[in-house]
Amino acid sequence: MSSVRNTVMKATGIIAVASMLSKVLGFAREMSIAYQFGSNWQTDAYNIAYAIPGLLFAAVSTAIRTVFIPVFTDISTHKGKNKAMDFANNVINATLLVSLLLIVFGEVFAAQLVRFFARGFEGETFALAVDLTRIMIPAIIAYGLTGIVSGILNALQRFTAPALVGVPMNMLIVAGVFTLGSYYGIYGLAVSALIGFTSQVLIMLPALAKTGYRYRFFLDFKAPELKQVLTLMVPTLISTALSEINIMINRMLASGLPEGSISALNYASRLYSLPTGIVVTAVITAIYPTMSQASATKNKQQFVSALDTSLRTVSFLVLPMMVGLLVLATPIVQVVYQRGAFGYSETVATATALFFYSLGLLSVGWNQAINQGFYSMKDTLTPLLVSLGSVTANIAFNLLLVRSMGHGGLALATSIANTVAAVIALFLLRKKSGPIGLRSVASSLIKCFIASAIMGVAAYFGWQFAAPVATGQLTRTIVLFAVIGVSAAVYFGACIVLRVEEMEFARKMVGRIIGKFGKR
């Protein structure tokens, strides 16, 4: 049991640190693009072209990775590692074949794809989006191979390389902004993005070679293991595709709004996804094995305890981040993006989207944690139905709010849809598994909300007091970090006063880490 716990904690640490590094570099990428190109019709075209390969295949890649690991592990355990590698090659070759077909389709019908996903594009914007789509459509291969190779490595307990795939990608795009982008404009940026996508696969190849994997052409569509993967991945594929469709619906509607609306939503979503990309991912990675074990052994008490821990920890960590983004949206966007061609008007547009996106941040975290409960019970259909409900709600509220609120209404609709999904998922999980200890979760949530509200007041008045000093970019950055630091201290202090159990757990964990390093 101790070795399993150590493995989980090590994997969680690797994923959290790598995710944070990748996110930081992702911000550097967006800051570089904002500096060099601003927020205009060219960046709108680029963002649509950048998203199309992902929509065509990212969902497939995620679904394959989700179901690949258990099948690969089962084959390796019962038939040997060589058979498992044959299975991997079969999946890789089938994926390559499908990818090539999709690339041909995308190159031929690029104009129709742009017309479908960005109905408001006309003239130069439309023509540029078509050109950029044709440049970036080969990224489909990288999407597919990245999912499978990372699945092989994770199944063999190799976590470092898969966790770091975003690092070279973002670094190469940043470099491309100031090299190819300087010489060839937005076309150079598109080529840099394609190179970045390819690097995700290349960085994992040395680690893959160390596992003993050797590529060989092996394609058998009648293999029962391949059929099993295809059967298991259908609900996950549709659910993942629905999430991508949600994003594309926002962009489709935003394409008919004033210039720069799509870019504002894109820049804001990068900031808003930071807490979930780092904190929530780390939490559910650590909790999921416990949930799976509890479901396999039908240990209801252990399952409830794991779910309780997951929801409470997400609330404890995400709520203050959510309130911080709401209160400090404008100065955060100024510090991260406002420089070069990205001016104050772009800051206001992006901060508006960030504010409304952030309202649903806790719901996103809860929904991810709840979905792990369903997946641990081998139920992939219920999350699919919840995703369908979320898309329906998103479309309805988009149409209701976009006319009166513009791109801010699209962001608010996303938050409402995420909240609807979290409530429905929680209700269905309780119905499926019985009582899940919501009283203790609600008690902790209320305490964390009070502490976050106190922190929000401190952050608001702290920034109002210090803002006159923050006249330049450097001073604004220093002041913002100081306000965030003081606000965090206020939050943790309030949690101590309110006796939030997660705060005591965090204090003990920090104490252990300090004690460990103190002995060295």
Side-chain angles (χ1 to χ4, degrees):
M1 190 64 157
S2 177
S3 62
V4 173
R5 185 182 296 112
N6 290 336
T7 300
V8 170
M9 293 304 293
K10 181 179 179 181
T12 302
I14 290 171
I15 293 170
V17 172
S19 297
M20 183 176 296
L21 179 59
S22 181
K23 290 289 183 181
V24 170
L25 290 172
F27 285 130
R29 179 192 70 201
E30 297 302 317
M31 289 166 62
S32 301
I33 294 173
Y35 176 84
Q36 188 78 356
F37 299 101
S39 180
N40 50 48
W41 64 276
Q42 288 189 326
T43 54
D44 283 352
Y46 167 79
N47 285 320
I48 285 293
Y50 183 94
I52 285 176
L55 184 69
L56 291 178
F57 208 78
V60 176
S61 176
T62 301
I64 289 175
R65 181 169 60 240
T66 301
V67 303
F68 176 87
I69 294 175
V71 177
F72 180 90
T73 303
D74 182 65
I75 296 172
S76 181
T77 301
H78 296 96
K79 298 182 180 180
K81 188 175 179 179
N82 290 335
K83 290 292 184 181
M85 292 302 184
D86 285 341
F87 161 72
N89 275 318
N90 198 19
V91 175
I92 286 174
N93 291 321
T95 301
L96 283 172
L97 178 61
V98 174
S99 298
L100 290 172
L101 293 174
L102 282 174
I103 289 172
V104 172
F105 172 83
E107 295 290 348
V108 173
F109 296 103
Q112 288 79 1
L113 287 171
V114 172
R115 180 67 68 196
F116 178 79
F117 291 120
R119 294 183 180 276
F121 280 5
E122 299 291 345
E124 286 184 306
T125 306
F126 175 78
L128 178 61
V130 173
D131 289 342
L132 298 181
T133 297
R134 289 198 168 108
I135 292 173
M136 287 192 277
I137 206 74
I140 286 175
I141 291 180
Y143 272 113
L145 293 182
T146 298
I148 299 171
V149 174
S150 63
I152 297 172
L153 292 173
N154 285 336
L156 297 173
Q157 302 294 310
R158 308 291 178 91
F159 300 104
T160 303
L164 291 172
V165 294
V167 174
M169 173 183 165
N170 289 319
M171 292 177 66
L172 286 168
I173 293 178
V174 170
V177 167
F178 299 107
T179 53
L180 293 177
S182 295
Y183 286 101
Y184 303 105
I186 204 76
Y187 288 95
L189 176 61
V191 173
S192 300
L194 180 60
I195 295 171
F197 280 122
T198 305
S199 72
Q200 291 183 299
V201 180
L202 297 179
I203 192 178
M204 292 189 290
L205 294 184
L208 184 64
K210 291 180 181 179
T211 66
Y213 169 82
R214 295 294 181 269
Y215 174 78
R216 72 184 185 90
F217 185 79
F218 175 69
L219 189 58
D220 181 8
F221 287 109
K222 296 182 179 181
E225 295 86 1
L226 184 60
K227 291 181 179 179
Q228 185 181 16
V229 167
L230 294 174
T231 301
L232 291 174
M233 68 181 283
V234 170
T236 308
L237 171 61
I238 299 174
S239 183
T240 305
L242 288 174
S243 298
E244 294 292 328
I245 289 171
N246 248 344
I247 297 173
M248 290 307 300
I249 287 172
N250 282 8
R251 287 175 174 158
M252 288 169 63
L253 292 173
S255 68
L257 296 175
E259 179 183 310
S261 295
I262 292 177
S263 297
L265 289 170
N266 182 67
Y267 290 134
S269 68
R270 299 294 179 185
L271 288 168
Y272 139 86
S273 63
L274 181 62
T276 55
I278 296 175
V279 173
V280 177
T281 298
V283 171
I284 64 177
T285 299
I287 294 296
Y288 183 54
T290 304
M291 283 186 174
S292 300
Q293 182 185 29
S295 297
T297 58
K298 301 188 184 302
N299 188 332
K300 178 64 183 299
Q301 183 178 357
Q302 186 183 23
F303 179 85
V304 170
S305 177
L307 180 64
D308 177 275
T309 300
S310 180
L311 294 176
R312 291 173 59 156
T313 305
V314 167
S315 300
F316 172 68
L317 296 173
V318 171
L319 258 179
M321 294 182 179
M322 182 183 87
V323 173
L325 288 174
L326 291 171
V327 174
L328 301 174
T330 298
I332 288 174
V333 173
Q334 285 181 312
V335 167
V336 175
Y337 293 125
Q338 189 174 307
R339 55 183 58 80
F342 196 103
Y344 185 72
S345 61
E346 287 86 359
T347 289
V348 172
T350 303
T352 299
L354 177 60
F355 178 89
F356 289 114
Y357 269 141
S358 299
L359 289 172
L361 194 57
L362 181 63
S363 299
V364 173
W366 270 42
N367 202 30
Q368 290 185 25
I370 294 166
N371 279 343
Q372 301 308 303
F374 288 115
Y375 293 141
S376 70
M377 293 184 284
K378 300 178 182 179
D379 179 1
T380 58
L381 180 60
T382 301
L384 168 59
L385 296 176
V386 172
S387 294
L388 184 60
S390 177
V391 171
T392 303
N394 189 45
I395 294 173
F397 283 104
N398 271 336
L399 297 176
L400 181 66
L401 298 173
V402 67
R403 292 184 178 179
S404 59
M405 297 177 63
H407 73 285
L410 298 178
L412 178 58
T414 299
S415 292
I416 294 173
N418 287 330
T419 301
V420 169
V423 172
I424 294 174
L426 190 62
F427 170 78
L428 294 176
L429 182 61
R430 190 184 187 284
K431 185 176 180 181
K432 183 180 182 69
S433 64
I436 51 178
L438 291 181
R439 288 186 179 180
S440 63
V441 173
S443 175
S444 177
L445 178 63
I446 291 171
K447 291 179 181 179
C448 290
F449 180 81
I450 294 173
S452 297
I454 295 171
M455 182 210 75
V457 173
Y460 175 80
F461 285 105
W463 178 255
Q464 293 300 314
F465 174 78
V469 181
T471 54
Q473 190 69 10
L474 178 60
T475 55
R476 185 185 294 122
T477 302
I478 294 172
V479 169
L480 178 62
F481 275 98
V483 170
I484 291 174
V486 171
S487 301
V490 169
Y491 174 72
F492 292 133
C495 286
I496 292 173
V497 173
L498 293 170
R499 297 182 180 180
V500 176
E501 291 182 24
E502 287 72 28
M503 184 64 209
E504 180 62 19
F505 174 77
R507 187 189 65 79
K508 289 180 179 179
M509 287 295 293
V510 172
R512 290 175 183 173
I513 293 172
I514 293 175
K516 181 178 179 180
F517 282 95
K519 293 178 181 179
R520 293 184 176 182

